[in-house]
Amino acid sequence: MAKTIGLLTGGGDCPGLNAVIWSVVRAAAHEGIEVLGIEDGFEGLIAGGTVRKLGPAETRGIHREGGTVLGTTNRGNPFRYRTEQPDGSVVETDCSDDVVRAVRRLGLEGLITIGGDGSLAIAHELSKKGVPIIGVPKTIDNDLSATDNTFGFYSAVTTAMEALDKLKTTAESHDRVMILEVMGRDAGWIAIASGLAAGAHCILIPEIPYRTDVVLERIRSRWAEEQRNYTLIVVAEGAFSAGGDKSYVQAAGVGTVARFGGAGHQLQAALEAAFSEGWDRRRGVPEVRTTVLGHLQRGGSPGAYDRIISMRFGAHAAQLAAAGKWNRMVALQGIEIGSVPLAEAIGKQHLVEADGQLVQTARAVGICMGDRWP
Ligand code: F6P
């Protein structure tokens, strides 16, 4: 009887999920393995969940498409499964045994789980309960430590870079300070990569708390020394001022993580306050506008790099399953695709090094990182 494995996508979506699905299905078929697609992450394995057979015919052409044909959720943790009560309160239950039973009932030899830190942590806990797992690292945030890159990251960076390119022309036309807030949670990867690619004047990341007076000085130096009346600033959603706090729109709740939001507008308010107090008004006061790029960064087709890395991850995951090498996460190691034990892949964030090469490059080309200027 042919071996059967389950495949699911968990957590927030990102460009390249469908390319991984496409690739797992094809590489598995090549190894004589059947794939059952599990809908809506681990929810598909909890009572009432849906699974369906996925073969090359069912996945034709999806590698070009954004999103995930399997659906996903960042609220379906089976160990802390949330159900809303009639009075509006939320109760958490441990449904992990349901997942274990479903895996056995469906005759799955194991699961390929495509997800970020949250989904991979769940996968690791399930592996301890005897469910064989292979993880595939996904997230636009690029914040997983055991892989040099996650898929989805460069597509998000391209979206942010294009937004900055567009903001530049309108900033220049109106002599404005333009702030772009980008995603990334506690990591500043999208901000620094897009800011470098677009040549932003100021990049603010969570790893380097910024000072408003330094940002102000950078804006002033553009006006005074460079005779340029616009400034382009990219701010990571997790960035914060020295002595200040990160900005959230929603605190962490039962089984949910906190939602970031507000970093860009917080900086705008601080700059506007500073302009009204200490700015030399003879040159006019710059107007500030903030754009929050939001979920545009997660949508759309994956770029070439992400398609290729997704396909390589997916094929490698299927090959590991065929070889019975479970409880590992596929990983990019230099230019090679390898794998690491699942236990090593979780719990450690991959952050931008405050004195690393990327930051040094930004400083070398005249980009202010918010902590000092010049
Ligand atoms: O982790 C990916 C991510 O896009 C973060 O950068 C962002 O903070 C978060 O997801 C937003 O998630 P949600 O889908 O809950 O709005």
Side-chain angles (χ1 to χ4, degrees):
M1 206 175 71
K3 216 187 222 190
T4 307
I5 57 171
L7 174 63
L8 64 86
T9 52
D13 70 341
C14 93
L17 283 169
N18 279 328
V20 178
I21 295 170
W22 183 93
S23 163
V24 166
V25 164
R26 276 157 183 75
H30 188 73
E31 301 282 350
I33 299 175
E34 283 180 359
V35 178
L36 272 192
I38 296 155
E39 293 192 358
D40 301 325
F42 293 103
E43 296 240 353
L45 295 172
I46 297 171
T50 314
V51 299
R52 61 189 152 101
K53 187 179 162 304
L54 283 185
E58 288 82 11
T59 54
R60 192 164 291 133
I62 65 167
H63 57 290
R64 302 182 185 91
E65 288 165 21
T68 160
V69 293
L70 288 174
T72 188
T73 172
N74 44 17
R75 289 170 168 247
N77 181 347
F79 290 90
R80 305 179 68 182
Y81 194 68
R82 296 158 50 87
T83 36
E84 197 158 327
Q85 305 302 297
D87 66 357
S89 63
V90 174
V91 169
E92 278 186 354
T93 351
D94 183 350
C95 294
S96 56
D97 287 337
D98 294 2
V99 172
V100 178
R101 276 192 290 273
V103 167
R104 295 204 180 119
R105 179 172 41 80
L106 294 164
L108 304 178
E109 176 159 327
L111 292 179
I112 294 183
T113 300
I114 312 171
D117 50 351
S119 307
L120 294 173
I122 296 168
H124 180 51
E125 288 308 309
L126 285 172
S127 74
K128 290 197 226 158
K129 296 188 96 163
V131 179
I133 305 257
I134 290 161
V136 181
K138 159 248 62 154
T139 168
I140 62 165
D141 302 340
N142 199 35
D143 59 354
L144 294 180
S145 63
T147 180
D148 290 348
N149 273 147
T150 53
F151 73 86
F153 168 61
Y154 276 108
S155 303
V157 169
T158 303
T159 299
M161 175 195 75
E162 288 170 356
L164 284 164
D165 287 349
K166 288 179 177 160
L167 288 172
K168 176 195 179 277
T169 59
T170 170
E172 198 166 16
S173 307
H174 286 267
D175 294 346
R176 279 176 171 160
V177 174
M178 284 289 185
I179 298 171
L180 180 71
E181 180 185 307
V182 297
M183 284 184 168
R185 299 195 69 81
D186 296 305
W189 292 110
I190 299 177
I192 193 163
S194 62
L196 264 174
H201 306 110
C202 203
I203 301 175
L204 307 179
I205 59 175
E207 294 85 347
I208 304 178
Y210 68 84
R211 283 175 31 202
T212 309
D213 62 311
V214 168
V215 179
L216 202 65
E217 191 45 42
R218 180 65 187 113
I219 297 169
R220 201 192 314 268
S221 73
R222 298 258 314 142
W223 284 49
E225 289 147 32
E226 298 167 30
Q227 272 85 54
R228 302 309 300 262
N229 287 350
Y230 76 96
T231 304
L232 203 53
I233 301 175
V234 53
V235 53
E237 64 183 358
F240 58 101
S241 63
D245 292 316
K246 297 192 181 195
S247 313
Y248 298 100
V249 287
Q250 200 176 301
V254 183
T256 59
V257 293
R259 277 177 57 212
F260 284 84
H265 286 103
Q266 198 173 71
L267 174 66
Q268 175 173 351
L271 289 175
E272 284 170 345
F275 291 144
S276 66
E277 281 162 20
W279 189 260
D280 176 358
R281 288 167 167 269
R282 280 170 301 182
R283 305 192 53 138
V285 176
E287 284 186 311
V288 188
R289 295 287 187 273
T290 299
T291 303
V292 180
L293 196 52
H295 293 81
L296 288 173
Q297 293 158 96
R298 295 223 310 240
S301 297
Y305 179 85
D306 280 335
R307 287 188 203 191
I308 294 165
I309 199 173
S310 298
M311 288 176 183
R312 294 179 71 197
F313 278 157
H316 199 72
Q319 284 156 1
L320 286 176
K325 293 187 179 159
W326 295 99
N327 303 334
R328 304 187 70 77
M329 182 189 83
V330 300
L332 179 67
Q333 299 161 332
I335 56 168
E336 301 291 324
I337 302 288
S339 67
V340 293
L342 208 45
E344 276 176 29
I346 55 167
K348 193 166 161 258
Q349 282 181 315
H350 176 219
L351 300 176
V352 177
E353 279 176 49
D355 56 357
Q357 273 205 350
L358 218 45
V359 171
Q360 285 174 27
T361 302
R363 295 197 201 276
V365 298
I367 297 173
C368 171
M369 295 301 298
D371 56 337
R372 58 177 193 261
W373 184 261

